[in-house]
Amino acid sequence: FLDDMGIVGVNSVTILADSINYAENPRSYTCSFDNDPENGVVLFAAGVFYYFTTNQMKQLVKAMAEHFPGGRLVFDAAGKTAVKLMLKTWVKQAGIKDVGAYFSVKDAKGELESWSPLLSVSSCGYMQGYQKLEGSGVRSIHRLLAKIADGPLHLQIVRVRFKEESG
C-alpha cells in the first residue's frame, strides 16, 4: 500500500487469471482485496484493459472507485486505430485466435470522467509523456515514431484518482 507521504509498505496480491472472469464480474475483482482506506491503494494494469469491452471497463472502474476511495488506477490505453493494429499484429503473431481487443480511448479525461462523479482522470503520451526524446542519442526516426504513437494513435498512460466522495 502507498500513501501520500511515500511507500509505507507493499502488499503483493497474486490473482490467478483462470479463477474468476473479472471482465464479466467486476465486483468479484474488487472484493478480492482487503482495503484499509487509511493506507490507500495504487492499482497498475499494463496491457490488460485492451481485452475488455468499454462497458466492462466502465463497470470495473466504477466498482474500483466505490471500493477504493482515495485510491489510484494507472493503465495504458490507445485509440481505436492502434487497438485494431494491435489485434492484427501482436495477437496474431502470438497465435492467439480466441481473443478480441475492444477497449480504446481517444480523450481519457473527457471519456472516463463521464462514467462516475468519483473519477478524476489525467493522461500523458505513452512515448513522450515522461521523458522528452531529445538529444543526439535519439534518432530522428524514433522521434517521428513516438510522435505518431502519442498523436494520431493516442497511445497514453492514464491515471484515475478515485475521489473520496462525489462532488
Side-chain angles (χ1 to χ4, degrees), residues 50-65:
Y50 300 109
Y51 305 102
F52 285 57
T53 65
T54 299
N55 190 50
Q56 290 168 335
M57 277 295 297
K58 183 176 182 178
Q59 291 177 25
L60 180 64
V61 172
K62 284 172 61 174
M64 288 176 165

Side-chain angles (χ1 to χ4, degrees), residues 3-29:
D3 68 6
D4 290 336
M5 300 303 291
I7 297 175
V8 174
V10 177
N11 182 4
S12 177
V13 179
T14 302
I15 300 172
L16 299 176
D18 60 349
S19 63
I20 297 173
N21 184 338
Y22 297 112
E24 295 299 323
N25 187 0
R27 296 274 177 218
S28 63
Y29 172 77

Side-chain angles (χ1 to χ4, degrees), residues 9 56 72 83 163:
Q56 290 168 335
R72 306 285 189 274
V83 172
K163 297 177 185 176

Side-chain angles (χ1 to χ4, degrees), residues 13-149:
V13 179
T14 302
I15 300 172
L16 299 176
D18 60 349
S19 63
I20 297 173
N21 184 338
Y22 297 112
E24 295 299 323
N25 187 0
R27 296 274 177 218
S28 63
Y29 172 77
T30 58
C31 294
S32 299
F33 300 95
D34 291 326
N35 181 40
D36 179 356
E38 285 188 28
N39 291 331
V41 65
V42 177
L43 305 164
F44 294 93
V48 175
F49 292 151
Y50 300 109
Y51 305 102
F52 285 57
T53 65
T54 299
N55 190 50
Q56 290 168 335
M57 277 295 297
K58 183 176 182 178
Q59 291 177 25
L60 180 64
V61 172
K62 284 172 61 174
M64 288 176 165
E66 292 166 9
H67 193 77
F68 303 115
R72 306 285 189 274
L73 169 64
V74 180
F75 62 95
D76 57 323
K80 187 175 279 192
T81 301
V83 172
K84 286 180 183 178
L85 288 170
M86 180 184 71
L87 183 59
K88 283 183 175 179
T89 56
W90 300 341
V91 174
K92 281 187 180 179
Q93 287 174 357
I96 301 169
K97 297 178 183 178
D98 61 347
V99 68
Y102 307 101
F103 179 68
S104 64
V105 63
K106 182 176 180 180
D107 172 17
K109 182 173 181 63
E111 294 174 44
L112 277 61
E113 282 188 352
S114 69
W115 294 354
S116 169
L118 297 175
L119 305 179
S120 176
V121 179
S122 63
S123 66
C124 64
Y126 188 87
M127 300 297 288
Q128 301 182 91
Y130 295 101
Q131 180 176 345
K132 296 296 175 199
L133 299 177
E134 299 172 352
S136 60
V138 180
R139 294 184 177 168
S140 298
I141 187 69
H142 294 126
R143 284 191 203 99
L144 175 64
L145 292 173
K147 285 180 183 178
I148 293 169

